[in-house]
Amino acid sequence: MDFELSAEQAQIREEVLRLCARFDETYWLERDRDGAFPEDFYAAMAEGNWLGIAMPEEYGGAGLGVTEAAIMMQAVAESGACMSGASAIHINIFGLNPVVVHGTEEQKRRMLPPLIAGRDKACFGVTEPNAGLNTTEIAVRAEKRGDRYVVNGQKIWTSTAQEATKILLLARTTPKDQVKKKTGGLTLFYTDLDRSRAEVRRIPKMGRHAVDSNMVFFEDMEIPEENRIGAEGEGFRAILHGLNPERVLIAAEAIGIGRAALARAARYARERVVFGRPIGQNQGIQHPLARNWAELEAANLMTFKAAALYDAGKECGAEANAAKYLAAEAGFHSCEQAVMTHGGMGYAKEYHVERYFRESMIPRIAPVSPQLILSYLAERVLDLPKSY
Amino acid sequence: MKIIVPVKRVVDYNVKVRVKSDGTGVETAGVKMSMNPFDEIAVEEAVRLKEKGVATEIVAVSLGVAACQETIRTALAMGADRGILVETDVDLQPLAVAKLLKAIVAKEDPKLVILGKQAIDDDMNATGQMLAALLGWPQGTFASKVVIEGDALTVTREVDGGLETLAMTLPAIITTDLRLNEPRYASLPNIMKARKKPIETVKPADLGVDPAPRLTVVSVAEPPKRQAGQKVGSVAELVQKLRTEAKVI
């Protein structure tokens, strides 16, 4: 058992932190205020070839594992970029894994290099208003007409759809009442987001204003057959591959936010003097912060255990889910405590922790709720009856 | 043309250094270490010279404990071609470093050595000058601009009154100032390529140099804590306080 980063991993963390230092707290505060996509941050990450960290080398990636991707994404979040930085590049990191696993050679050559180079921006259309965590309820219809599919319906919580040129879309090709298996009838596409046939409507939301979340309405949007990933009806299976890595990355990001908040809280507690002593000298202030550290670092161990299992080709469902649960809660607690430690100043935007606090809600909710994770663990690890 | 760039592993510039409790030095255990920022500028300058076709090979040299390998790796990720680690646990002082570098120069036969003007840990600002003296080479220290045409080297230096420009002939020594360039960020592919570049390890004895310190550190102490200032109500009060309390006028 080895808990140390390898020299290469340590260097990845260092270089990402160095690069992110160019985009300081004021930069993210501004993006939070004006809601503009962090284009120059995105460009800098693309320029350093960071977007392809976990993508195969033959298509321009670095061919590294989820462990390295998690190290990178954690460093991005930890730099103070939080989810505004992480979500801006999140889909580039592992989003196109279904194409890597299920795409044809021609598709990989066509689809992967532009995304890795940052020329294409992609969004992920899965969730629907009436099919949240229950993916099999997906209703967006892709109807085969000759050599193309015609898409109608609505997706929701599609991140970065304002900027995206491409969409990874899960749609129903066989009506639900005609499928043999509940998970059947869904097909995956990676295609142009044709804005003449898809209306993208931004959802005003609590935080992460720089990275948009949207409703997307499709009206007869056409998809050429060559943009179908894998066989018709195999879409659900195709996206399953990416779920555990995504949980690991979200967990790593949540820990990054938590660490950023804790660092600010500890600094403020050391410097802020009330009644003639720094407030951090009071156990009422220091114990909660110490607990935050313990929670964050424990969650981090679970996260990197899950990453190591995945990279070793082993089953990691329980660990990846537990990591996402633990990390999201630890990150949130840390941000909450950071606001409380700052007192009134914690409520002011100038001190940044209120932004972290708002963004720390995202890993708790997405991509799966804590309740569903606990149900999963109860069922799969503890062998308890399925509750839903 | 071959360039040698010495790179030093120092306490990261973001770290608030603490003096060891016994006053023998600065605490380095468990402290984040990085490449000396002036050395980063030196590596960057060498890489730019290579990109311009002036240089053909860049050798990064670090002297010290085994962990200095990581500093060399950083230089390799920025664009250096290979590394040499002079491994020793001895606390190296500028003269020892200069002697060791002289031996490396004898072995490698470079046309140019680019060093940081000083390291941010001990601020000695001596190694480049000592190396120039030992080799009998010309030196352009505190360089803010470097131009090479054939064997002619022009170094611009920022001095108190403005800019001073020196002309010299290669081989030569350059030490870098802050405004020479802005070091690049290592890209992920270059970090990965750097892992495969060779690093040779030698010992001071292999180079025939005794690196033992010639200077003794007597004590290391924290700077005195800054006292709180005072607010004055008027210029007259300020003058009076300067005269009677501070006794500076």
Side-chain angles (χ1 to χ4, degrees):
Chain A
M1 218 175 276
D2 186 356
F3 292 96
E4 286 291 310
L5 297 185
S6 74
E8 182 181 55
Q9 291 166 343
Q11 199 178 0
I12 286 173
R13 179 177 158 80
E14 275 315 302
E15 288 298 332
V16 172
L17 284 173
R18 238 159 67 96
L19 195 158
C20 289
R22 267 158 70 188
F23 303 93
D24 61 5
E25 55 205 22
T26 345
Y27 176 83
W28 294 109
L29 185 62
E30 275 297 297
R31 294 294 77 73
D32 187 58
R33 193 184 58 72
D34 64 18
F37 188 81
E39 291 290 353
D40 29 9
F41 166 76
Y42 182 89
M45 294 304 285
E47 195 193 343
N49 267 68
W50 292 102
L51 302 182
I53 188 166
M55 292 284 108
E57 282 178 271
E58 57 264 48
Y59 308 108
L64 296 174
V66 168
T67 304
E68 286 77 15
I71 289 167
M72 165 187 160
M73 295 306 277
Q74 184 168 70
V76 167
E78 199 174 328
S79 76
C82 298
M83 297 310 284
S84 297
S87 300
I89 56 173
H90 189 97
I91 193 166
N92 297 68
I93 306 306
F94 218 80
L96 254 60
N97 192 46
V99 176
V100 176
V101 178
H102 298 279
T104 64
E105 184 57 33
E106 183 277 325
Q107 286 177 326
K108 289 187 223 183
R109 297 225 164 275
R110 180 157 54 90
M111 296 169 176
L112 298 178
L115 190 80
I116 291 167
R119 291 194 300 276
D120 277 350
K121 283 201 189 110
C123 60
F124 199 3
V126 177
T127 305
E128 296 181 10
N130 298 315
L133 298 168
N134 193 357
T135 308
T136 58
E137 290 292 323
I138 274 177
V140 164
R141 186 84 168 92
E143 215 176 319
K144 185 91 187 272
R145 286 186 205 157
D147 62 349
R148 43 199 53 225
Y149 292 84
V150 178
V151 181
N152 282 286
Q154 185 193 350
K155 293 286 180 188
I156 196 167
W157 296 115
T158 309
S159 288
T160 69
Q162 298 289 338
E163 288 79 25
T165 50
K166 301 276 180 188
I167 183 165
L168 188 67
L169 180 71
L170 189 64
R172 181 164 292 288
T173 40
T174 311
K176 199 155 179 258
D177 51 13
Q178 292 169 28
V179 295
K180 292 193 205 87
K181 254 181 25 191
K182 228 172 47 161
T183 53
L186 298 175
T187 303
L188 191 66
F189 302 93
Y190 183 68
T191 192
D192 288 338
L193 181 57
D194 175 4
R195 284 169 197 277
S196 68
R197 299 292 173 140
E199 189 198 340
V200 181
R201 217 178 284 167
R202 195 169 181 138
I203 304 170
K205 59 188 191 306
M206 181 178 181
R208 203 195 69 184
H209 297 312
V211 181
D212 48 278
S213 298
N214 304 279
M215 293 180 280
V216 185
F217 300 88
F218 301 100
E219 202 183 332
D220 292 337
M221 188 179 91
E222 295 191 349
I223 304 177
E225 195 172 12
E226 62 261 30
N227 290 346
R228 188 189 69 220
I229 308 302
E232 205 173 279
E234 295 289 316
F236 186 78
R237 208 170 58 92
I239 64 162
L240 275 185
H241 277 279
L243 295 186
N244 286 330
E246 180 172 35
R247 294 196 187 354
V248 170
L249 295 185
I250 288 273
E253 292 162 17
I255 293 159
I257 302 181
R259 283 182 179 166
L262 181 58
R264 283 193 176 275
R267 193 173 83 195
Y268 190 79
R270 281 191 300 271
E271 290 171 359
R272 171 71 173 158
V273 173
V274 181
F275 298 120
R277 54 203 242 140
I279 58 169
Q281 202 171 342
N282 303 314
Q283 291 183 346
I285 296 287
Q286 50 179 239
H287 284 182
L289 297 179
R291 190 160 53 230
N292 291 143
W293 183 86
E295 283 181 14
L296 287 168
E297 297 311 313
N300 198 47
L301 290 179
M302 182 65 93
T303 303
F304 282 96
K305 181 182 177 185
L309 285 171
Y310 183 88
D311 286 337
K314 293 184 181 151
E315 175 53 41
C316 68
E319 288 80 3
N321 275 284
K324 132 78 185 158
Y325 169 74
L326 292 170
E329 297 307 310
F332 171 71
H333 290 154
S334 177
C335 291
E336 182 190 26
Q337 197 57 44
V339 172
M340 294 306 288
T341 304
H342 281 73
M345 295 308 173
Y347 210 62
K349 292 201 181 293
E350 192 188 336
Y351 284 78
H352 303 284
V353 287
E354 69 83 36
R355 183 174 84 249
Y356 300 178
F357 175 72
R358 285 184 280 116
E359 298 199 359
S360 74
M361 284 297 284
I362 297 170
R364 298 183 80 198
I365 299 167
V368 54
S369 72
Q371 290 78 13
L372 210 60
I373 287 182
L374 295 176
S375 296
Y376 173 92
L377 294 175
E379 187 194 334
R380 302 294 178 91
V381 181
L382 305 178
D383 200 20
L384 296 172
K386 185 167 173 159
S387 60
Y388 55 95
Chain B
M1 178 176 87
K2 190 191 283 185
I3 302 179
I4 284 189
V5 184
V7 290
K8 186 176 185 183
R9 182 172 179 265
V10 298
V11 174
D12 187 83
Y13 74 97
N14 278 315
V15 171
K16 193 162 174 262
V17 292
R18 291 210 176 96
V19 172
K20 281 187 198 162
S21 51
D22 62 1
T24 55
V26 164
E27 192 58 72
T28 53
V31 171
K32 187 181 165 203
M33 307 294 279
S34 300
M35 188 193 297
N36 175 37
F38 291 108
D39 299 348
E40 282 183 9
I41 296 172
V43 175
E44 176 65 33
E45 196 62 21
V47 174
R48 288 185 189 188
L49 287 170
K50 193 178 168 190
E51 285 168 349
K52 277 184 215 152
V54 176
T56 50
E57 190 185 23
I58 302 165
V59 184
V61 181
S62 194
L63 309 93
V65 294
C68 292
Q69 280 218 28
E70 289 318 310
T71 312
I72 296 176
R73 289 279 174 217
T74 305
L76 297 178
M78 288 175 74
D81 297 292
R82 61 187 171 90
I84 300 175
L85 169 66
V86 182
E87 192 182 345
T88 173
D89 291 331
V90 174
D91 178 32
L92 292 175
Q93 293 176 346
L95 183 58
V97 174
K99 285 179 180 169
L100 289 164
L101 287 175
K102 184 193 173 200
I104 299 268
V105 165
K107 223 172 80 168
E108 293 284 339
D109 192 27
K111 277 285 203 60
L112 190 61
V113 182
I114 310 180
L115 308 89
K117 70 169 180 181
Q118 64 196 67
I120 60 167
D121 50 2
D122 54 19
D123 279 341
M124 288 285 202
N125 177 19
T127 306
Q129 294 87 331
M130 286 178 169
L131 179 61
L134 290 176
L135 288 167
W137 287 7
Q139 53 181 305
T141 55
F142 294 36
S144 64
K145 193 180 171 197
V146 170
V147 178
I148 297 178
E149 276 165 27
D151 267 355
L153 166 66
T154 317
V155 174
T156 307
R157 320 173 66 232
E158 290 180 358
V159 293
D160 280 351
L163 298 175
E164 180 184 62
T165 306
L166 302 177
M168 59 196 84
T169 310
L170 296 176
I173 303 290
I174 295 172
T175 75
T176 62
D177 210 339
L178 212 54
R179 276 170 292 276
L180 179 58
N181 60 49
E182 201 178 312
R184 69 192 59 200
Y185 299 91
S187 71
L188 179 57
N190 287 342
I191 290 174
M192 295 181 64
K193 270 185 235 152
R195 293 281 140 196
K196 293 182 190 115
K197 292 177 181 174
I199 297 180
E200 176 194 353
T201 302
V202 296
K203 304 272 181 191
D206 304 335
L207 300 168
V209 175
D210 169 18
R214 304 292 199 269
L215 308 171
T216 310
V217 174
V218 181
S219 77
V220 177
E222 299 261 1
K225 288 247 183 314
R226 279 183 65 178
Q227 301 294 321
Q230 292 181 28
K231 276 187 182 165
V232 292
S234 66
V235 175
E237 191 188 339
L238 173 66
V239 171
Q240 189 247 332
K241 276 182 184 290
L242 288 173
R243 186 166 291 147
T244 58
E245 287 180 26
K247 296 196 167 82
V248 292
I249 51 173

